[in-house]
């Protein structure tokens, strides 16, 4: 999915910020609630759900008690994030992975829903990722994910790839002590590319909408960061 360097940079970034991630994102990170609004009507008593890139479990938090924990399966590359999430959802099966293909080695069922919030922008080859995740769906399963679109003339989203930094000063302001600035790498795509990736994986896009994920500042007068949410299902043709 990524080059090894990119994978290491992003894993170390999230390992480092995992102790304060929930505190930092609680007020202004809207992706979990946006995804939950799409997912909740699809849930049933026996729904088998995979949260890909579960992080600290903020999407599961947004889903509240709509899923029985024993029917929740989740993975993340960050051991720090997984540790936090396991404490919040002790009955769920939550595992750290280094590569998506490892999921196939687990004795897990095929899934009714695979969901992912705020993850795809950290993965360079999401075309390959979508194909791999499709293989873990059952015959009527759906894949629901967010991504950052390329938006021309948007100061923060006009480029394909950018780096995001947490400085020592900023980290200290939210109670995280770090010895040096840390960075993550983010990727973006055009809407038509996402449709092409899904089509190549024999997935039919049945929902594709934009939402404001957060603001780049202390209040809503700052420029909004736009995310798209995609709902896709196996193509029956």
């Amino acid at each position: 999915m990524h080059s090894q360097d990119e994978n290491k940079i992003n894993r170390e970034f999230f390992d480092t910020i995992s102790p304060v991630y929930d505190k930092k994102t609680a007020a202004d990170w809207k992706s979990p609630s946006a995804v939950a609004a799409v997912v909740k009507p699809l849930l049933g008593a026996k729904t088998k759900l995979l949260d890909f890139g579960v992080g600290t479990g903020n999407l599961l938090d947004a889903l509240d008690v709509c899923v029985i924990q024993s029917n929740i399966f989740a993975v993340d590359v960050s051991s720090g994030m997984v540790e936090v999430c396991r404490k919040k959802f002790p009955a769920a099966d939550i595992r750290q992975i280094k590569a998506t293909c490892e999921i196939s080695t687990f004795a897990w069922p095929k899934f009714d829903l695979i969901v992912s919030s705020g993850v795809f922008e950290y993965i360079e080859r999401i075309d390959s990722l979508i194909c791999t995740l499709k293989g873990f769906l059952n015959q009527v399963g759906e894949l629901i994910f967010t991504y950052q679109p390329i938006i021309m003339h948007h100061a923060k989203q006009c480029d394909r790839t950018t780096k995001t930094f947490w400085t020592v000063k900023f980290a200290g302001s939210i109670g995280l002590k770090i010895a040096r600035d840390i960075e993550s790498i983010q990727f973006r795509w055009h809407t038509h590319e996402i449709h092409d990736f899904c089509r190549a994986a024999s997935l039919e896009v049945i929902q594709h909408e934009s939402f404001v994920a957060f603001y780049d500042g202390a209040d809503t007068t700052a420029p909004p960061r736009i995310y798209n949410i995609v709902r896709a299902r196996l193509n029956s043709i």
Side-chain angles (χ1 to χ4, degrees):
M1 295 186 304
H2 316 186
S3 72
Q4 289 186 350
D5 287 346
E6 290 155 355
N7 187 56
K8 181 180 179 181
I9 287 170
N10 287 331
R11 184 177 65 249
E12 290 181 348
F13 177 81
F14 283 104
D15 278 344
T16 301
I17 70 172
S18 59
V20 297
Y21 183 81
D22 283 346
K23 176 183 177 181
K24 171 64 176 65
T25 61
D28 59 355
W29 177 226
K30 307 304 183 185
S31 182
S33 59
V35 176
V38 175
V39 173
K40 280 185 177 182
L42 307 176
L43 297 175
K46 297 182 179 180
T47 300
K48 296 291 191 296
L49 181 144
L50 170 63
D51 189 335
F52 179 80
V54 67
T56 60
N58 51 23
L59 173 54
L60 299 179
D61 285 332
L63 290 174
D64 198 22
V65 294
C66 293
V67 186
I68 298 171
Q69 282 197 36
S70 59
N71 286 338
I72 295 173
F73 302 80
V75 294
D76 201 281
V77 298
S78 165
S79 60
M81 292 289 200
V82 166
E83 182 180 355
V84 174
C85 192
R86 282 175 174 166
K87 291 177 181 177
K88 293 162 70 174
F89 301 94
D93 192 341
I94 303 167
R95 307 190 189 191
Q96 182 190 11
I97 59 171
K98 293 182 178 179
T100 308
C101 60
E102 292 176 40
I103 297 172
S104 64
T105 67
F106 304 152
W108 282 358
K110 293 286 188 177
F111 296 101
D112 302 294
L113 295 172
I114 298 178
V115 298
S116 189
S117 169
V119 177
F120 278 39
E121 64 266 31
Y122 296 101
I123 300 172
E124 184 175 13
R125 291 296 308 277
I126 65 167
D127 53 339
S128 299
L129 173 63
I130 289 170
C131 284
T132 301
L133 292 177
K134 184 275 299 277
F136 304 134
L137 290 169
N138 64 29
Q139 292 183 342
V140 294
E142 296 189 9
L143 172 64
I144 299 169
F145 63 91
T146 65
Y147 72 96
Q148 274 197 40
I150 295 173
I151 302 175
M152 301 304 295
H153 310 300
H154 189 296
K156 298 293 182 69
Q157 292 185 234
C158 59
D159 295 324
R160 173 76 66 176
T161 305
T162 58
K163 288 186 178 182
T164 299
F165 296 88
W166 277 29
T167 65
V168 172
K169 181 178 180 180
F170 170 76
S173 72
I174 58 172
L176 179 66
K177 293 183 179 180
I178 55 177
R180 57 179 175 81
D181 295 350
I182 55 175
E183 66 181 19
S184 65
I185 302 174
Q186 297 183 353
F187 305 92
R188 298 177 188 87
W189 298 270
H190 294 289
T191 298
H192 69 84
E193 293 176 306
I194 300 299
H195 281 266
D196 289 343
F197 296 159
C198 289
R199 189 179 302 112
S202 299
L203 291 168
E204 176 189 5
V205 175
I206 56 176
Q207 186 174 352
H208 196 162
E209 301 173 355
S210 299
F211 65 96
V212 175
F214 60 94
Y215 288 87
D216 285 309
D219 56 51
T220 56
T221 63
R225 192 66 65 94
I226 305 300
Y227 276 50
N228 285 359
I229 185 167
V230 175
R231 178 184 169 196
R233 64 187 175 196
L234 287 171
N235 196 328
S236 57
I237 299 177

